[in-house]
Amino acid sequence: MTRRLGCAAFLLALLGTPLLLLLIVIAAQTTPRPAAPPIETVGQVSGIPARMLAAYQNAATRLPQQVPTCRGMRWPILAGIARIESNHATGHTISPGGDITPRILGPRLDGSGAGGNVTPFPDTDNGRFDGDTAYERAVGPFQFLPSTWNGAGRDANDDQITDPHNADDAALGAAVYLCGKGRDLGDRGQLKAAILQYNHSQAYVSDVLGWIDRYSQLSTGTIPIGQHATGNARTVIDAALAQEGVPYSWGGGNANGPSTGICCSPSGKSGTRIRGFDCSGLALYAYAQVGINLPRTAAAQAGAGRRIPASAGVGALKPGDLVFFAYNPTNDSTIHHVGIYLGNGKMINAPRPGTNVRTEALWDDGFAGGTRLL
């Protein structure tokens, strides 16, 4: 029996294997990479105000004009610095033009020990940036000393003013300062050296690198956006979501559902008369629905499964994981809050007295990673 070849098979047989290899190479080169999430999603998931995020991105884009020999600058590097220095100017107003009010000022560096300094820094700017005509203060979202700003400051919004209290100018100035005479910030060693120059503390370097790595996951699109829970994780999440609107009650909640609390608060918003959940009570209840018995407190729950450190970032979490917050994110004994991760940078939790069980974005402040039990 004669077997007929389809058109493609006949052509390949006629021209031979090299064409097949060529087609494979072309297909590999044209396969689209996963796109990074849009700026709105990055801002929501990362906790960075959109206007500050735009300033970081703008600085990374404009840097080659300022330091052509510098390589490897990315917005997560600037975001990591600003997260430690000012928490992205959180609590301040940022105008469309990038001006930050009220101004962000560090302690007076008068040698008294305020802010940890013992060496006085006499005034260099006649109070122009810090309002102090006797001693220096660190200024702006990147906490520049006025004397340092005089060399690193740049006009990034083309208003003919170089202002450390402007998000765009400050971000570009920080990028210039980190680059020095032309570092390769894609090299981990040179990146560490740049951060150490910014602040002479190894603990500071470690903190900043942790945030850079977390933000980098977003910049490359490796944080899964819009994840879907399945199996037991779906059961846990559905059980918790069914409790939305139930009041917070300190000590409330068990494997059977909401219960009255065990203590009170001066505000009267939590006490033995309120039937509901506290944060760990909600987690305990949700996991009981799949036969997992959790300890009662958030700190103890952190040790109940496979620990996911904060340094792994949000991208390491999966729906159904417990997510924790601590006074010191590197010390589990200081954990004070727990939620249940939903995916897409969100959690369901019982936040505090006077609130109800609700869904919200993961808190940036005190994020201490998660635990996986499923």
Side-chain angles (χ1 to χ4, degrees), residues 134-200:
Y135 294 97
E136 298 275 61
R137 294 173 184 265
V139 296
F142 284 87
Q143 290 290 277
F144 276 100
L145 289 179
S147 56
T148 305
W149 180 253
N150 287 335
R154 295 294 188 276
D155 173 20
N157 58 359
D158 302 318
D159 63 356
Q160 309 307 310
I161 299 173
T162 303
D163 185 0
H165 298 286
N166 178 274
D168 297 314
D169 291 1
L172 185 55
V176 169
Y177 186 74
L178 289 165
C179 278
K181 296 181 179 180
R183 289 188 174 99
D184 178 4
L185 299 178
D187 177 85
R188 192 75 167 184
Q190 293 189 49
L191 176 59
K192 288 180 179 180
I195 299 170
L196 189 62
Q197 173 187 305
Y198 205 96
N199 186 311
H200 301 287

Side-chain angles (χ1 to χ4, degrees), residues 244-310:
E244 280 192 281
V246 173
Y248 180 98
S249 182
W250 193 356
N254 54 45
N256 298 316
S259 65
T260 53
I262 60 173
C263 193
C264 52
S265 67
S267 66
K269 295 178 180 178
S270 178
T272 57
R273 295 183 180 180
I274 297 178
R275 183 177 178 82
F277 293 99
D278 65 8
C279 64
S280 55
L282 178 65
L284 187 155
Y285 166 73
Y287 268 89
Q289 309 316 301
V290 294
I292 295 177
N293 298 317
L294 289 177
R296 186 59 185 78
T297 66
Q301 289 175 357
R306 183 171 71 82
R307 196 71 169 88
I308 303 168

Side-chain angles (χ1 to χ4, degrees), residues 39-40 43-44 47-57 94:
I39 186 172
E40 295 83 1
Q44 179 185 29
I48 303 175
R51 185 61 186 83
M52 291 300 295
L53 180 58
Y56 307 151
Q57 294 179 320
I94 310 169

Side-chain angles (χ1 to χ4, degrees), residues 313-329:
V314 177
L317 298 173
K318 292 184 179 180
D321 288 345
L322 295 180
V323 59
F324 299 97
F325 303 87
Y327 297 113
N328 177 358

Side-chain angles (χ1 to χ4, degrees), residues 24-40:
I24 292 174
V25 170
I26 292 174
Q29 292 177 339
T30 57
T31 300
R33 296 180 178 179
I39 186 172
E40 295 83 1

